[in-house]
Amino acid sequence: MIGILVAGLLLWTAAHFFKRVAPERRAAMGDAGRGVVTVLILISLGLMIWGYRGAEFIYVWAPPSFLTHVNNLLMLAAIFVFGMSATTGRLRGKMRHPQLTAVKIWAVAHLLVNGDLASIVLFGGMLAWAVAEVIVINKSEEWVRPEPGEAKKDIVLVVITIVVYIVVSLIHLWLGVSPFGG
């Protein structure tokens, strides 16, 4: 199953880098290219989930229990940072790659609390992809910082962050994985 997980990671990476590696080919595909990339990303997610959930537990290290609290704080930060990509408040434009930064925070948070091989492959692979994606984008595109908006929109971002954090925690509990230890 690790092979399926790795295949999913490779497909995810290829689908995301397609536009950067073969821009002419991607442009020639027009709007249909978006559909193809979307399908590839969905397939890659399915492969990653299938491979991760079905992988044999291979012990690599035992994370100390206090890292659960660090993970939870990092996850709250990851959700907030991800939301910065959609905010129209003052925080808009404070960070060039909020979604990719959120993926990096998410991956590190999960690496801290999961000591098995499949987790290291999945979260380490996603971390490596996000780092590489930032590097490639920064080398290929000029960034124009958007103007900040109203402060009240940042309050909305905080409220949405808390709600999403609660929903994500409940989904973890529903799946039988307590994000709060114990």
Side-chain angles (χ1 to χ4, degrees):
M1 290 304 234
I2 290 284
I4 293 170
L5 172 58
V6 170
L9 283 165
L10 291 173
L11 184 58
W12 171 274
T13 301
H16 279 87
F17 278 125
F18 179 53
K19 176 179 158 182
R20 312 266 176 232
V21 175
E24 299 85 18
R25 180 142 189 214
R26 171 58 189 91
M29 294 173 75
D31 286 340
R34 279 188 142 169
V36 169
V37 170
T38 299
V39 168
L40 292 175
I41 288 170
L42 289 173
I43 291 169
S44 72
L45 281 170
L47 290 171
M48 285 188 282
I49 292 167
W50 182 28
Y52 182 74
R53 300 278 293 170
E56 176 186 352
F57 185 88
I58 300 172
Y59 174 85
V60 177
W61 75 293
S65 61
F66 76 88
L67 288 179
T68 299
H69 305 298
V70 175
N71 168 275
N72 289 327
L73 286 173
L74 287 173
M75 285 307 304
L76 192 60
I79 293 167
F80 181 81
V81 170
F82 191 89
M84 285 176 61
S85 67
T87 188
T88 55
R90 288 183 310 182
L91 294 174
R92 181 170 82 189
K94 292 290 184 190
M95 185 180 298
R96 180 166 183 186
H97 304 288
Q99 290 180 349
L100 290 167
T101 301
V103 169
K104 291 186 271 188
I105 296 167
W106 167 83
V108 167
H110 283 78
L111 284 168
L112 291 176
V113 294
N114 291 286
D116 62 294
L117 182 61
S119 294
I120 292 168
V121 170
L122 174 61
F123 302 117
M126 291 299 288
L127 177 60
W129 162 75
V131 168
E133 189 79 31
V134 167
I135 292 167
V136 170
I137 291 170
N138 286 348
K139 287 186 176 190
S140 65
E141 294 178 5
E142 185 80 23
W143 184 47
V144 178
R145 184 182 301 273
E147 290 296 320
E150 302 174 50
K152 66 182 177 182
K153 299 290 186 173
D154 294 333
I155 294 168
V156 171
L157 173 60
V158 170
V159 171
I160 290 171
T161 297
I162 292 167
V163 169
V164 169
Y165 181 80
I166 291 168
V167 169
V168 167
S169 297
L170 290 172
I171 290 169
H172 276 74
L173 289 168
W174 178 67
L175 291 171
V177 180
S178 174
F180 308 108

